[in-house]
Amino acid sequence: MSTSSRRVLPLRVPLAPEEGIDSWLEALARRNGVSLRKLLSHLDLPEKSLTRTLLTSITPPMLRELERRCQLPTHHLDQAVPHPALPTHTRQARGSRYCPHCLAERDGRFKLSWWLPSAFACTSHRTLLLDTCPGCGRLPHRTLPGRTRFHPAGVCTAYHRDGHPCGTDLRTAPTIQLPCDSTLLDAQRWTDQLLAENAVDSIADLHHLSRWLLHALPDEEVRPLGALAAAAWADRPSKAPPDRLAPLNPILTAIAAHHSRPLLGPCDDTAVRRIRQLRTTQGSLAGLYPASMALLSWRGLSPRLRGRFIHAADSGLTHLDRIRLCSSSPAARVPAPDETPHASRRQHVPQLLWPGWTLRFLPPIGLRVDLFRATAAALLFLPGSGSRDKKALLEPLHTHAPNYIAHTLQTISQSGYDQVFPAICRLADHLDEHGSEIDYQRRRELVPADTISETAWRELCFRTNTHPGETSTPTAPGRLLHARRHLFQLLTGADLADPRHTLAWKDPGDRNRTTAFDLSLSLEQRTALHHHAQELLVKLGIDEPVTWQPPEECCYGLNLPGPRLNDIDLDALRRLMITERRTPSETARQLETSVTHVRLALERIGQEPRHGNTRSPTSARKVREHARSVLTPAYFQREYTEGGKTLTRIAEDTGISRHVVAEQAKAIGLPLYFSRRPLPIDEAWLREQYLDRKRSTGNIASEIGTEDETVRRRLQHLGISLRPPGVHSRTVMTAKLDTTIPRNIRTAVEGTLHGWLRLHRFHIAMAFPNLESAAAHIGIYQSTLVTQFQCLEHDLGQKLFHRSAFGRPHRPTNSGKALLRSLHTDTVQALMHTELQPSQIIAMPDADTLAQAASRLTTRRDPGPLKPFNDISVARIRITAPTLTLLRDLLDHQDEEFYGAQIHARTGLDHGTVYPQLKRLEQAGWLTSRPESQGSWHGRAPVGCGPGRRRTYFALTPEGLRAATLEVHHPTPRRKKRTR
């Protein structure tokens, strides 16, 4: 470019108010006497054939150079071009509209705003703008004029086919006057205000809405705008697709602008209601945007207006899209296909939704609490997501939650909890904007699985007076494991159903035990666990509160269905749950709330502390601490060492268990005696008594006033071998008789415990005719006497007597006679009376006693009459459990005849039990019997087979009925067996 071409123009024209740069350049060319194209070439400006492209092709550097060449202030020409932020299709039309009156007043200079599609009326002269030449019918100012200097300003420069310009003076064109209160003028003033405020998004939205409204507006809403508007509306190009519509004339543009005003206004609710109304008129609310709106127009809408369309279509969207697009809130928007939620949201969201918000969101039925908390937390990742792939979106944090999202959303919607959807979106926006006081991702990485050691847990339980439980093992987890889970979930908000966690639940029973543990914690124990969690965070270098949840203000204005955590009477809850021991479901019904509300509120009052028994670790520790304060070394020195008190006596005096006293004594190094103090025993005397005289240790201990074990330990200390323990070491077992005593006597006595007693009773029994009368005289059972004589015969190795029978007394054998002769000697009798106790010696029977015994042996006993009970004249039988079962069945069918198989079928008793019992009852007079009739017997026979076994029918007698009733309702108590 030459230097001369960059010189300042000698002739210049000022820029008229609100004039466009195309009109100013045309006036400048006319002033300099050149064509507009030549002027553009001289000013190094792009030469375009269409005037509208001139408005957008001039760049800011070109404007600065043009201002220099025309001696204009810097940025003076910025007002002559459209705002650069306006989209291209809103900054230029195919031709410029105009107001003839304004052209006449401005000497044919065109306004910049007339190029905008949103300009349709002149508010100064209250006329509709014209968009065609009244002479040629073409768009004025569409192309650059070829001979600018030959055409005055304000005339049509469009060329006919013959090559001549139209030349119609646009300043004299007829106009359409509008009334002062015209709604179309109000619409133009509103549009001008948008331009003045540089509301770029609203101007762009107005352009796209104009094309949609041509299809969406019903005719009855256009008629109130006047006959002119109704006529233009009837001729509108409604059959063409919205993306192929020709530019609208001013009247249609005015109609569209008027009806776009509520959609673009500041009130979201008004806009949403209007959009919903128009879409309902079209017949469908399904889909993000109306079917009559072009996709290009939809994509060109501002995010604010698209959010209103989505909000209006909320009821027609899927549950997942309602969350993903936030369609139930005014902040609805369409995310990009590859858009993901805010990067920090994963750090601020726990795996389980916060308890307070869980209570506000959870439907009363249909969802399990823990699954809902995990799923609801996962839902916080959906708002703003461009992808509908739930699994890919949630897998890093929730592995199983995507499987429950659809069911959870459906249950929420069916329960009438639609306010939960906008609340979830607001929670997600709050986390994106304000963040969280807790970095859950960092805690999930840093907080260990063993959140509390076993020592710390026992110390905590001791301070809170609670039972620590058994020591945890892999096969039998105790309360320590549940405490670690409680702390881990409290700090990290982790979902223990996720198998990736070390502390994850193994099975449903494990989850139920952890839930029961959480509900069993006392308030003091919960506070102690909370303090421990805070200390753990300090050790990990985390300066955060233990728990946190978003404030309720982030959902201000929403009517959430669930109750608040504080909306419950804690005193009534304590009375029902703690005092009356009601179940959570019963308590929820009494308080008219949910079970989840009761369980969450229970954490604020806790269970009453349960005092363990004396064997619990907590109680045992308290006992030992008390023992250490009482049983001091000085106390043991005074009471035990010097006072000679035993540990048992000290335990009685102090009220402390003896084994605790012994533990404390051992702890201070005191020598303990677990029996009496050592007793001095003379060694020679002990040897004589034990070895020579064969005395037992118990006999020796009773003489010197000590215990048997003391004597035994002394013998062991002296190296004396102990005799076998028990009866064999007694003196009577080891004693030897003099050889002058008959051999059979010595054999029966030596090495036996009760040899003399057996011989004495044998001597008496042989005087009687039988053992029955002898046992009655001695005062023992006959069976006892038989056993003793069998032992005596075993010791002697010979049979001593022949047994008795009816009318024939027993009699001694030859060996028995020899034994009796030995017993008659004075020496043996004297020795016998010496060894036996006085209570064991029985006098020999006199003649009368022996005569009576002989008489009974030869006289048969008359069984006598039957022994009736009360006034019932049947024999009494022995009642056993099967007999009682049989009698109950007979009473239930007392008016019927029966046979054995029926009893077996009804009671289940064996045939071997039923028939003998029936026979006994018949013999005792309780039953009567008859054989089955001949016809019935043969009638039961199958075809071609014999009749089989004939039945016997039984029936209760009247006296048998009374006896059975008495035995069933008033059983006779069984007589206890006599013991010796």
Side-chain angles (χ1 to χ4, degrees):
M1 181 181 301
S2 63
T3 306
S4 59
S5 63
R6 291 183 171 273
R7 291 182 300 176
V8 176
L9 292 177
L11 301 176
R12 297 182 292 275
V13 177
L15 182 67
E18 302 179 6
E19 185 179 12
I21 195 170
D22 59 319
S23 177
W24 177 71
L25 288 174
E26 184 179 348
L28 188 61
R30 189 177 293 109
R31 178 70 177 85
N32 286 274
V34 295
S35 65
L36 181 56
R37 292 180 182 274
K38 188 173 182 180
L39 179 65
L40 294 176
S41 176
H42 180 73
L43 296 175
D44 298 330
L45 296 178
E47 301 179 29
K48 303 292 184 179
S49 60
L50 297 178
T51 308
R52 62 189 176 95
T53 57
L54 183 62
L55 299 174
T56 57
S57 60
I58 298 179
T59 61
M62 294 178 183
L63 291 177
R64 304 289 84 78
E65 179 64 19
L66 186 58
E67 292 167 349
R68 188 190 65 81
R69 299 279 296 275
C70 296
Q71 294 293 302
L72 296 175
T74 306
H75 299 289
H76 183 69
L77 292 180
D78 289 347
Q79 58 183 325
V81 295
H83 196 282
L86 287 174
T88 303
H89 56 269
T90 62
R91 284 187 283 169
Q92 58 182 9
R94 298 179 63 184
S96 176
R97 292 171 181 165
Y98 64 95
C99 173
H101 301 295
C102 290
L103 281 179
E105 294 174 358
R106 299 167 59 88
D107 297 330
R109 308 281 281 271
F110 283 76
K111 289 185 178 182
L112 173 64
S113 60
W114 291 345
W115 277 104
L116 299 178
S118 58
F120 53 84
C122 177
T123 57
S124 300
H125 301 94
R126 302 194 304 276
T127 61
L128 282 175
L129 297 182
L130 302 179
D131 56 353
T132 58
C133 172
C136 63
R138 297 185 182 182
L139 296 175
H141 221 59
R142 180 172 181 269
T143 60
L144 296 178
R147 299 175 182 179
T148 310
R149 65 180 183 279
F150 300 112
H151 304 292
V155 300
C156 179
T157 58
Y159 281 84
H160 292 292
R161 291 184 178 179
D162 56 1
H164 298 284
C166 174
T168 303
D169 191 355
L170 300 178
R171 292 170 291 187
T172 61
T175 60
I176 301 175
Q177 197 72 22
L178 297 175
C180 296
D181 57 349
S182 174
T183 56
L184 301 183
L185 285 178
D186 290 340
Q188 183 61 65
R189 294 188 186 99
W190 170 70
T191 304
D192 294 341
Q193 184 181 359
L194 295 180
L195 291 172
E197 296 174 354
N198 290 328
V200 176
D201 291 341
S202 297
I203 296 173
D205 291 338
L206 178 60
H207 172 77
H208 296 296
L209 286 176
S210 300
R211 297 178 175 273
W212 172 60
L213 289 174
L214 289 181
H215 295 77
L217 278 177
D219 296 342
E220 57 270 14
E221 294 191 15
V222 180
R223 295 192 189 101
L225 299 179
L228 182 63
W233 185 257
D235 296 336
R236 73 187 186 279
S238 59
K239 294 185 178 181
D243 55 343
R244 296 185 181 181
L245 284 176
L248 305 181
N249 56 35
I251 186 66
L252 291 178
T253 304
I255 295 172
H258 170 69
H259 286 281
S260 299
R261 190 172 180 179
L263 275 64
L264 300 177
C267 182
D268 291 321
D269 294 337
T270 302
V272 170
R273 283 197 301 269
R274 180 58 177 162
I275 293 173
R276 190 178 291 118
Q277 178 184 1
L278 292 174
R279 295 197 61 177
T280 304
T281 303
Q282 287 185 291
S284 176
L285 279 175
L288 293 180
Y289 58 92
S292 58
M293 179 180 288
L295 180 60
L296 183 61
S297 297
W298 168 255
R299 291 176 177 174
L301 294 178
S302 64
R304 176 166 167 261
L305 184 56
R306 278 197 291 179
R308 291 179 173 181
F309 269 92
I310 297 172
H311 193 19
D314 176 60
S315 59
L317 300 177
T318 63
H319 300 316
L320 180 62
D321 285 338
R322 294 180 68 185
I323 298 290
R324 190 174 63 88
L325 306 177
C326 305
S327 62
S328 53
S329 67
R333 65 187 185 90
V334 180
D338 57 344
E339 186 175 353
T340 57
H342 198 276
S344 63
R345 198 182 299 176
R346 182 164 297 161
Q347 299 175 350
H348 302 151
V349 176
Q351 280 190 299
L352 294 178
L353 190 66
W354 301 279
W357 290 104
T358 300
L359 194 60
R360 303 302 304 275
F361 293 167
L362 180 65
I365 57 175
L367 293 174
R368 208 173 72 191
V369 179
D370 52 349
L371 284 179
F372 174 78
R373 293 186 66 186
T375 308
L379 291 176
L380 293 175
F381 290 90
L382 293 181
S385 171
S387 172
R388 302 182 84 255
D389 188 356
K390 305 184 294 295
K391 186 174 183 180
L393 184 65
L394 306 178
E395 187 172 6
L397 189 61
H398 297 81
T399 56
H400 60 285
N403 301 327
Y404 300 96
I405 283 183
H407 173 67
T408 301
L409 294 177
Q410 183 179 5
T411 305
I412 291 174
S413 178
Q414 292 176 351
S415 302
Y417 280 30
D418 288 341
Q419 289 290 307
V420 172
F421 296 129
I424 290 175
C425 298
R426 289 197 187 183
L427 283 180
D429 293 340
H430 178 83
L431 294 176
D432 293 344
E433 183 177 356
H434 302 285
S436 168
E437 296 184 14
I438 295 179
D439 188 346
Y440 291 100
Q441 183 64 29
R442 177 174 60 177
R443 290 193 181 186
R444 285 189 286 267
E445 295 173 356
L446 297 181
V447 175
D450 52 343
T451 51
I452 184 171
S453 64
E454 186 170 359
T455 303
W457 168 244
R458 290 186 175 275
E459 182 67 26
L460 184 147
C461 292
F462 175 72
R463 293 198 311 268
T464 57
N465 195 26
T466 52
H467 198 293
E470 302 296 333
T471 304
S472 298
T473 61
T475 57
R479 290 173 61 84
L480 174 60
L481 175 61
H482 301 315
R484 289 174 175 173
R485 286 172 172 167
H486 175 83
L487 288 172
F488 188 78
Q489 200 169 50
L490 180 70
L491 290 171
T492 65
D495 181 13
L496 297 182
D498 189 347
R500 295 178 298 179
H501 292 303
T502 307
L503 298 175
W505 295 316
K506 306 302 181 185
D507 49 51
D510 199 11
R511 177 180 63 83
N512 294 336
R513 286 187 290 271
T514 302
T515 303
F517 169 81
D518 292 340
L519 293 178
S520 67
L521 292 176
S522 64
L523 186 59
E524 186 179 4
Q525 198 170 16
R526 289 183 187 277
T527 305
L529 288 172
H530 192 278
H531 291 332
H532 180 82
Q534 187 65 58
E535 294 173 357
L536 180 60
L537 291 179
V538 173
K539 291 181 182 179
L540 296 175
I542 300 176
D543 186 14
E544 294 174 352
V546 176
T547 59
W548 175 86
Q549 65 179 10
E552 291 191 6
E553 289 75 12
C554 62
C555 291
Y556 178 78
L558 295 179
N559 186 19
L560 295 179
R564 293 180 176 85
L565 188 58
N566 297 330
D567 296 343
I568 193 170
D569 189 348
L570 295 181
D571 293 335
L573 179 64
R574 183 188 301 275
R575 175 177 56 81
L576 293 172
M577 287 291 297
I578 308 301
T579 306
E580 299 181 8
R581 298 290 182 183
R582 301 282 188 92
T583 62
S585 58
E586 293 177 351
T587 305
R589 285 194 297 270
Q590 289 286 337
L591 300 179
E592 297 181 354
T593 185
S594 63
V595 178
T596 305
H597 194 183
V598 170
R599 289 179 174 173
L600 293 177
L602 190 61
E603 297 180 0
R604 302 177 58 191
I605 60 175
Q607 294 284 352
E608 293 292 336
R610 299 181 180 179
H611 300 286
N613 54 31
T614 56
R615 297 184 179 181
S616 68
T618 304
S619 301
R621 180 169 177 175
K622 288 185 177 181
V623 169
R624 283 166 174 78
E625 285 194 352
H626 174 66
R628 283 193 290 269
S629 63
V630 174
L631 303 176
T632 60
Y635 180 87
F636 275 115
Q637 179 67 25
R638 181 180 69 253
E639 301 292 335
Y640 184 75
T641 305
E642 298 176 0
K645 289 184 178 181
T646 62
L647 296 181
T648 303
R649 177 68 181 276
I650 293 176
E652 293 174 354
D653 293 344
T654 58
I656 302 173
S657 300
R658 186 186 182 283
H659 72 278
V660 178
V661 175
E663 286 181 4
Q664 185 63 15
K666 289 181 180 179
I668 64 177
L670 189 70
L672 299 181
Y673 300 104
F674 292 96
S675 61
R676 295 179 181 178
R677 296 294 195 277
L679 183 67
I681 302 176
D682 184 66
E683 178 181 353
W685 178 84
L686 183 59
R687 287 181 180 274
E688 177 188 358
Q689 299 297 320
Y690 188 75
L691 296 178
D692 300 339
R693 301 183 59 180
K694 303 296 183 181
R695 296 179 63 183
S696 65
T697 55
N699 196 335
I700 298 174
S702 62
E703 180 179 345
I704 62 178
T706 185
E707 301 292 337
D708 179 38
E709 187 63 26
T710 302
V711 177
R712 293 176 63 84
R713 284 199 301 269
R714 180 61 174 165
L715 291 171
Q716 291 176 345
H717 180 70
L718 296 176
I720 299 174
S721 300
L722 298 177
R723 293 191 292 270
V727 69
H728 300 286
S729 64
R730 294 188 183 183
T731 305
V732 68
M733 296 289 290
T734 59
K736 299 293 182 181
L737 299 180
D738 190 79
T739 56
T740 59
I741 303 300
R743 181 185 296 275
N744 51 5
I745 299 297
R746 284 186 285 124
T747 304
V749 172
E750 291 179 354
T752 61
L753 185 60
H754 300 290
W756 286 113
L757 182 61
R758 294 169 188 163
L759 291 174
H760 177 60
R761 289 179 176 177
F762 179 76
H763 186 207
I764 296 174
M766 289 299 105
F768 286 90
N770 57 2
L771 295 183
E772 181 181 1
S773 56
H777 177 74
I778 297 173
I780 60 176
Y781 288 117
Q782 180 181 352
S783 59
T784 304
L785 197 60
V786 171
T787 303
Q788 292 180 357
F789 288 171
Q790 289 176 348
C791 293
L792 185 61
E793 289 177 340
H794 177 271
D795 293 337
L796 294 175
Q798 297 173 348
K799 187 175 181 180
L800 298 180
F801 66 99
H802 300 286
R803 271 51 175 176
S804 64
F806 177 75
R808 186 180 61 190
H810 60 213
R811 60 190 186 282
T813 61
N814 294 334
S815 300
K817 293 177 182 178
L819 182 60
L820 290 175
R821 286 194 298 271
S822 300
L823 288 173
H824 277 105
T825 61
D826 296 336
T827 305
V828 173
Q829 286 293 324
L831 186 60
M832 180 185 298
H833 283 72
T834 302
E835 295 295 335
L836 292 178
Q837 300 292 333
S839 60
Q840 295 176 333
I841 299 176
I842 305 297
M844 293 297 291
D846 54 15
D848 293 338
T849 302
L850 294 177
Q852 293 176 5
S855 174
R856 287 196 298 270
L857 180 66
T858 58
T859 304
R860 292 191 180 274
R861 296 178 184 175
D862 185 8
L866 296 176
K867 293 182 179 180
F869 40 96
N870 297 342
D871 57 344
I872 304 173
S873 59
V874 294
R876 200 164 200 166
I877 64 173
R878 182 169 175 265
I879 302 298
T880 61
T883 309
L884 198 60
T885 302
L886 176 61
L887 293 178
R888 290 195 183 100
D889 184 74
L890 296 183
L891 290 178
D892 292 340
H893 304 82
Q894 54 184 293
D895 297 331
E896 305 174 8
E897 284 189 328
F898 52 87
Y899 52 91
Q902 287 179 321
I903 301 295
H904 166 72
R906 291 199 298 254
T907 63
L909 296 175
D910 293 335
H911 291 287
T913 302
V914 171
Y915 288 104
Q917 293 282 4
L918 293 176
K919 187 61 68 178
R920 286 179 56 214
L921 292 174
E922 183 182 6
Q923 292 174 355
W926 295 46
L927 300 177
T928 60
S929 65
R930 69 170 180 84
E932 185 181 11
S933 63
Q934 193 78 12
S936 174
W937 181 31
H938 290 284
R940 291 189 297 104
V943 179
C945 300
R949 188 172 182 177
R950 196 169 188 174
R951 293 173 179 169
T952 300
Y953 285 92
F954 297 89
L956 278 169
T957 64
E959 294 299 311
L961 176 61
R962 294 180 59 196
T965 303
L966 181 63
E967 289 293 354
V968 169
H969 297 292
H970 303 285
T972 303
R974 297 183 63 184
R975 185 172 57 184
K976 293 184 179 180
K977 184 177 180 180
R978 283 199 312 175
T979 57
R980 197 180 161 200

